Amino acid sequence: MTVALLLIGILVLLLLRVPVAFSFLGPGLAYLVLTDQSVGLAMRLVTNSTASFPLLAVPLFVLLGVLANRAGIADRLFDFALAVMGRVRGGLGYVSVGVSLGFSWMSGSAVADAAALSKVEIPAMQRNGYTTRFGLGVVGSSALIAPVMPPSIPAVIYAGLAAVSTGALFAASVVPALLMAAGLCVVVFVLVRRQPDIVQTGFSWAEVRRTGLRVLAPVGAPVLILGGILGGWFTPTEAAAVGALYMLLLGFAYRSLDLRVLPSIFVETVLTTAAIMLIVSSAALLGFVLARERVPQLLSELVLGITDDGTVFLILVALLMLVLGTVIDATAVLVLIVPILMPIGLRLDVDPVVLGVLMIVSLMIGLLTPPVGTVLYVLSSTMKVPVGEVFKASVPFTIPLLAVCVLIIFVPGVVTWLPTRLGL
């Protein structure tokens, strides 16, 4: 009964659009007061949840993404992709997917990707005969590649919670992210056939060379970060620091960054990191409450009573993540659910890396679904269109994303192949 009231309280607060962290924190503190628990216990739970070395990489990866955004890297990638693909029918759709894929190697955030690219790509599509709905759909769905493709902030959080190698999880995410991009390109191919007014741009080898030279240095960032992690030269935290320094120097070299903008960059990084850590800490408090009420054991018995097959378990996990992702922030879901699902998965011989990638991909689809749908609100704000219109535009593009989830469940080799080849 206590747990039911707790969950009802959380749901009511979420429906009232109270921030996720406070929706968790309020009922959690109320539970401690009503059960005569020490408030000092709550403080220890909240502070200790963020005292984790793997989580130290989070602010550094956030800084890397902010620097890449402010340094104009997305614009350079867009110019190069347009020079290569502009003459192809529907080229701007493919360019949107390709730029998101390239930018994802540096940003790690769907919100940063959507905010940075929507201002450039959607107006360009509108000028060239594409419908606004098509632009909203392809830009919003392409942004979901960023939290999957390494460096991925959700992957860092999952690795810390599940005690798995961050490098292995990064490597495991590469193929699913590429499959997401390929699936979105298929949808672009189908939809542009219905748009007769599309204008195709010209092609020039000189323009390809000029724009290609402008992206050579930015491409060095993911090579440095992922090569350093997978090659064993850096820990993920060290790689994030090196990548952020590289991007800072690149911004100074391009003169797109200077000392005057550094304070605002650091403020944005601190605010984003604080929001993530507040969710982590409040979810940890709620996790303690659920553990004290034996919710993990009850869920374990329920799941094991339904099935003892790992594949069926993964199907249930994907469905749960798709539902929770529509109403709760992905970070909060991971902090709450990973400690519950991990022991069940291990009992059913489910690879924790496969479980992690499936959870992340499934949760990211929630960024395009109301009522939480952060990417929906970013695009709605930047393009001045209703949230409902953005959601309708995104629906066809969720089909290949769901297909990737199905593939991970029934062909887990798409996740484990690269880490195995790299010996991780």
Side-chain angles (χ1 to χ4, degrees):
M1 189 60 163
T2 305
V3 174
L5 292 174
L6 179 75
L7 296 178
I8 290 171
I10 292 171
L11 182 59
V12 169
L13 291 173
L14 290 172
L15 291 175
L16 292 174
R17 302 304 299 271
V18 175
V20 173
F22 297 107
S23 296
F24 286 176
L25 196 60
L29 290 174
Y31 173 89
L32 293 181
V33 171
L34 293 174
T35 56
D36 295 325
Q37 298 293 314
S38 167
V39 177
L41 172 63
M43 296 301 297
R44 288 195 300 274
L45 289 168
V46 168
T47 54
N48 291 344
S49 63
T50 58
S52 167
F53 182 75
L55 289 181
L56 186 60
V58 171
L60 294 170
F61 279 126
V62 171
L63 176 60
L64 172 63
V66 174
L67 287 169
N69 196 350
R70 297 288 191 93
I73 303 303
D75 294 340
R76 290 171 176 264
L77 291 172
F78 178 79
D79 291 340
F80 174 66
L82 185 59
V84 173
M85 297 294 296
R87 64 175 178 176
V88 177
R89 178 168 177 78
L92 279 174
Y94 302 118
V95 165
S96 179
V97 177
V99 172
S100 291
L101 182 63
F103 194 57
S104 69
W105 291 101
M106 291 164 271
S107 71
S109 166
V111 173
D113 193 311
L117 300 180
S118 61
K119 299 173 185 177
V120 177
E121 293 176 346
I122 297 179
M125 290 184 195
Q126 291 171 330
R127 290 193 299 270
N128 287 276
Y130 296 79
T131 64
T132 301
R133 173 172 286 195
F134 175 84
L136 291 168
V138 70
V139 172
S141 57
S142 299
L144 303 192
I145 298 172
V148 179
M149 180 69 81
S152 160
I153 292 173
V156 172
I157 293 172
Y158 177 89
L161 293 168
V164 301
S165 165
T166 304
L169 199 59
F170 277 5
S173 302
V174 172
V175 174
L178 294 175
L179 290 173
M180 290 169 67
L184 292 174
C185 286
V186 172
V187 177
V188 169
F189 177 81
V190 172
L191 293 183
V192 295
R193 304 296 147 186
R194 305 174 186 175
Q195 301 192 46
D197 299 327
I198 289 176
V199 177
Q200 296 166 234
T201 60
F203 179 83
S204 165
W205 281 112
E207 185 66 10
V208 171
R209 284 192 297 270
R210 184 186 71 82
T211 55
L213 290 173
R214 295 179 75 237
V215 299
L216 282 179
V219 168
V223 172
L224 183 65
I225 296 167
L226 298 179
I229 294 173
L230 301 180
W233 302 331
F234 307 130
T235 66
T237 303
E238 293 165 346
V242 171
L245 178 61
Y246 178 85
M247 195 58 64
L248 180 64
L249 296 176
L250 209 58
F252 285 149
Y254 289 152
R255 297 185 179 180
S256 52
L257 296 177
D258 56 44
L259 293 176
R260 291 173 298 178
V261 303
L262 286 184
S264 65
I265 288 174
F266 293 140
V267 167
E268 184 177 347
T269 301
V270 169
L271 291 176
T272 304
T273 303
I276 294 172
M277 293 305 176
L278 187 58
I279 291 173
V280 169
S281 58
S282 60
L285 174 61
L286 183 57
F288 165 78
V289 173
L290 296 178
R292 192 171 184 273
E293 293 292 324
R294 298 188 72 254
V295 172
Q297 292 88 336
L298 295 173
L299 284 178
S300 178
E301 293 170 5
L302 176 63
V303 171
L304 294 175
I306 296 173
T307 182
D308 59 358
D309 182 83
T311 301
V312 176
F313 170 70
L314 289 176
I315 294 173
L316 296 174
V317 169
L319 293 174
L320 178 63
M321 295 302 102
L322 289 170
V323 172
L324 292 179
T326 64
V327 292
I328 306 177
D329 181 86
T331 300
V333 175
L334 289 173
V335 177
L336 276 176
I337 301 299
V338 170
I340 296 174
L341 295 183
M342 181 61 62
I344 305 174
L346 293 175
R347 288 185 63 178
L348 298 177
D349 295 323
V350 172
D351 189 324
V353 173
V354 173
L355 178 62
V357 175
L358 178 64
M359 290 182 70
I360 292 169
V361 174
S362 303
L363 282 170
M364 290 311 109
I365 297 174
L367 294 174
L368 279 179
T369 53
V372 173
T374 315
V375 170
L376 294 180
Y377 292 99
V378 169
L379 293 177
S380 173
S381 175
T382 56
M383 301 311 300
K384 310 302 180 187
V385 296
V387 172
E389 182 66 22
V390 184
F391 173 65
K392 291 176 185 177
S394 305
V395 170
F397 293 93
T398 60
I399 296 172
L401 306 181
L402 292 170
V404 172
C405 293
V406 173
L407 195 61
I408 293 171
I409 292 170
F410 292 99
V411 190
V414 300
V415 171
T416 58
W417 175 78
L418 188 56
T420 302
R421 292 294 297 269
L422 295 174
L424 298 172

